[in-house]
Amino acid sequence: MWAKALSAKDFQNHPPPAILHAQNQSSISCQPSSPPPLVLPEHKPQLLYFHVDINSCYASCERILDPSLNGKPVVVLSNNDGCMVALSAEAKAMGYRLGEPWFKVKEGAEARGVIARSSNYELYGDISNRVMEVLREYAQGFEQYSIDEAFLTVRLSTRQAAHIARCIKDDIARRIGVPVCVGVAATKTLAKLSNKTAKNVPHLGGVCVWNLLPSGRRAHLFHHLPVDQLWGVASRTRKKLASMGIISIGDLATADLSTIRKRFSIVLMRTVLELRGTSCIPLEPVRKFKDQLIYSRSFSYPITDREDMAQVMSVYAQRASKRLVRDGQQAKLLTAFCATSFYGENMVFPTSAVRLQARTADPAVLTKAALTLLDRADFDGPRYARAGIMLTDLAPGDSSIAFEMFQYSHERRNVASLISQVEEKCGEGSLGLGRAGFTRKPVWEMKRELLSRRGTTHWDELVRASVR
């Protein structure tokens, strides 16, 4: 659909913005340490949204520490090496799809040269943080939307925006080593659409400034792209819109606002306004407290033993505690659960909910609460395939405590923060309480047999260079 919307022929007389405005830009530096002037006399500046997205994020991260993967089809697998959750462009071109079970295609894929990797969450998270730090250097306003994408706001003219977008793309490639696409527009919705355009139309060189596309090309995009190509419009909404005769993005952009709000919601009405160039979706606050925290994993081997499940609950509760400390939050309600396989004949799903005496992130308190699940679970027959901890009724960790007597003694000693600091210096699992203080990886831990090096977060896995 994108090839039909914008083809190479359309750009014979309209080169990409980065090429079109390369001249007269020599005085503008790409280095964020010396920001470019924000006003050019012949162009009026305005607040513009930049949407930056890492291309094939997981596969691109894998290629940083293993350049031999460049140009080869790469797939990244889910927990326990189950399904394909990320594909490089080469793997997509070979017809592989997200969500396909690896065991079904493994033999044929390997014969075709496809390289599989287990999910290296430590590497992906660290590379994401590095990319976000670079983007913050360019931004006046910033919102990290997911692990691989972010919105920035900068007050620029559209001509300057094309140059800065190219600088962002080149700077991340040079400093981090991952490819990104950049979309720029007056609203978040249009910036997202611009990024998709940059990603799907090679002639744009990975950068699309919406207002620098010829008006006929913008209209052509609106006419040919279906409405579910828009940010926030799911298939269910698409079907309902189709029943009203709204098929393309252009149809939605010209729809009656009151009808859209009445039949759908104010959220979709804002999308319509954003398509018309009116910014209605601001950047989210820098720090947004979560309503709940869930730590849940599947096991590499089923658990049938009470002692093994006690170790699982101890480990998961302390990892949940670490996340609370990281987010600056405390919890009042802990729910522990385990379950047999979805595909078994009689699924068993025991749960245990404990309302704590006071809000806390203390690992000892959370571990004790999680272990109450053992009295609810049956270990005489069920083979448990997964388990988890859910923490709710969260509040900021620095909120005042009404009565000192309700504060846990461990809280005053900052045990949770101490464990987090030790693990940050010595690695995950270097310190734990009770059954979580193991020195060997338990057999039930998530299987990652194709795991690559975690060369940016683990000292013993640093990449080594040899001089010949």
Side-chain angles (χ1 to χ4, degrees):
M1 68 181 72
W2 287 93
K4 182 179 180 181
L6 285 176
S7 64
K9 182 180 179 181
D10 297 320
F11 283 87
Q12 288 178 351
N13 298 318
H14 301 284
I19 299 174
L20 186 64
H21 304 292
Q23 53 184 333
N24 301 324
Q25 294 288 351
S26 58
S27 62
I28 299 180
S29 170
C30 285
Q31 300 298 327
S33 57
S34 55
L38 294 183
V39 179
L40 290 178
E42 67 271 24
H43 303 297
K44 183 179 179 180
Q46 60 178 314
L47 188 67
L48 293 173
Y49 287 88
F50 287 61
H51 178 251
V52 184
D53 184 22
I54 303 175
N55 300 340
S56 302
C57 179
Y58 289 2
S60 295
C61 291
E62 293 287 348
R63 286 169 168 166
I64 293 177
L65 301 183
D66 187 358
S68 68
L69 298 178
N70 290 332
K72 297 179 181 178
V74 179
V75 301
V76 178
L77 308 179
S78 63
N79 294 350
N80 293 313
D81 295 340
C83 300
M84 295 185 287
V85 294
L87 306 168
S88 68
E90 295 82 0
K92 293 176 183 176
M94 294 172 70
Y96 295 103
R97 296 290 178 264
L98 293 177
E100 284 187 277
W102 176 240
F103 77 91
K104 287 187 175 181
V105 301
K106 177 181 177 180
E107 185 175 349
E110 290 179 341
R112 300 176 68 187
V114 175
I115 301 171
R117 290 285 186 266
S118 300
S119 293
N120 193 338
Y121 300 116
E122 299 89 338
L123 174 65
Y124 309 152
D126 184 63
I127 297 302
S128 171
N129 291 337
R130 296 179 185 218
V131 170
M132 299 306 159
E133 286 303 312
V134 173
L135 295 179
R136 285 187 177 93
E137 296 175 9
Y138 286 90
Q140 293 173 339
F142 179 84
E143 174 194 342
Q144 182 173 350
Y145 186 68
S146 68
I147 190 173
D148 63 344
E149 58 182 317
F151 288 100
L152 329 176
T153 54
V154 187
R155 187 169 293 277
L156 296 167
S157 71
T158 52
R159 291 179 179 270
Q160 283 180 297
H163 177 71
I164 298 305
R166 177 63 59 184
C167 285
I168 290 174
K169 178 178 174 64
D170 294 343
D171 205 16
I172 291 176
R174 177 177 59 86
R175 295 167 62 180
I176 312 298
V178 293
V180 301
C181 283
V182 186
V184 185
T187 71
K188 289 175 80 173
T189 301
L190 287 176
K192 264 274 206 179
L193 183 61
S194 298
N195 192 303
K196 277 194 172 185
T197 305
K199 195 181 297 288
N200 287 278
V201 183
H203 318 290
L204 289 174
V207 171
C208 177
V209 180
W210 186 253
N211 285 343
L212 290 182
L213 288 176
S215 58
R217 293 297 93 215
R218 298 198 300 267
H220 201 64
L221 275 171
F222 269 30
H223 177 72
H224 282 90
L225 292 178
V227 72
D228 59 358
Q229 288 293 307
L230 282 175
W231 177 39
V233 179
S235 58
R236 185 175 179 180
T237 303
R238 174 185 59 80
K239 293 176 182 177
K240 191 173 180 180
L241 286 168
S243 68
M244 300 168 57
I246 299 175
I247 308 298
S248 68
I249 293 176
D251 295 334
L252 182 61
T254 57
D256 180 69
L257 288 175
S258 59
T259 301
I260 292 297
R261 179 170 182 175
K262 182 177 180 180
R263 296 283 300 273
F264 296 91
S265 66
I266 193 172
V267 175
L268 190 60
M269 188 188 79
R270 287 173 182 159
T271 298
V272 175
L273 287 170
E274 291 234 327
L275 289 174
R276 298 177 183 180
T278 301
S279 179
C280 303
I281 308 175
L283 297 181
E284 293 289 340
V286 174
R287 186 177 183 183
K288 186 176 181 181
F289 286 105
K290 300 175 181 177
D291 297 323
Q292 65 179 16
L293 187 155
I294 300 176
Y295 189 94
S296 177
R297 294 289 186 274
S298 297
F299 306 135
S300 56
Y301 296 98
I303 285 183
T304 59
D305 182 74
R306 181 185 178 93
E307 187 63 26
D308 286 342
M309 187 62 73
Q311 187 184 48
V312 169
M313 287 295 106
S314 299
V315 172
Y316 286 10
Q318 290 174 45
R319 289 178 182 174
S321 168
K322 182 179 178 180
R323 291 191 179 183
L324 285 176
V325 172
R326 179 197 65 190
D327 297 338
Q329 291 185 281
Q330 296 178 334
K332 185 65 186 274
L333 180 64
L334 180 146
T335 302
F337 60 88
C338 57
T340 55
S341 173
F342 288 113
Y343 305 103
E345 293 183 1
N346 298 309
M347 184 176 174
V348 179
F349 189 80
T351 63
S352 174
V354 178
R355 181 161 289 278
L356 305 172
Q357 179 178 312
R359 286 188 175 87
T360 184
D362 188 278
V365 175
L366 297 180
T367 299
K368 184 177 179 180
L371 291 175
T372 61
L373 175 69
L374 301 179
D375 296 328
R376 300 290 184 91
D378 178 11
F379 296 100
D380 290 333
R383 294 163 55 85
Y384 296 107
R386 58 192 177 93
I389 301 287
M390 181 170 67
L391 299 170
T392 51
D393 198 355
L394 305 184
D398 55 0
S399 57
S400 61
I401 298 176
F403 300 101
E404 184 69 20
M405 67 179 69
F406 293 122
Q407 186 179 25
Y408 295 105
S409 60
H410 301 91
E411 213 77 69
R412 291 192 294 270
R413 298 171 187 169
N414 295 318
V415 173
S417 298
L418 173 63
I419 292 178
S420 295
Q421 291 169 14
V422 171
E423 288 197 324
E424 185 176 342
K425 290 184 178 181
C426 303
E428 185 175 347
S430 55
L431 181 63
L433 302 177
R435 294 179 179 88
F438 53 78
T439 56
R440 292 184 179 180
K441 183 179 178 180
V443 296
W444 48 261
E445 277 274 44
M446 181 175 64
K447 182 173 66 177
R448 293 196 287 179
E449 295 180 345
L450 302 172
L451 185 66
S452 57
R453 285 178 177 268
R454 295 165 291 184
T456 62
T457 57
H458 288 60
W459 286 107
D460 57 344
E461 297 183 22
L462 289 176
V463 175
R464 298 179 181 180
S466 58
V467 179
R468 296 182 179 179

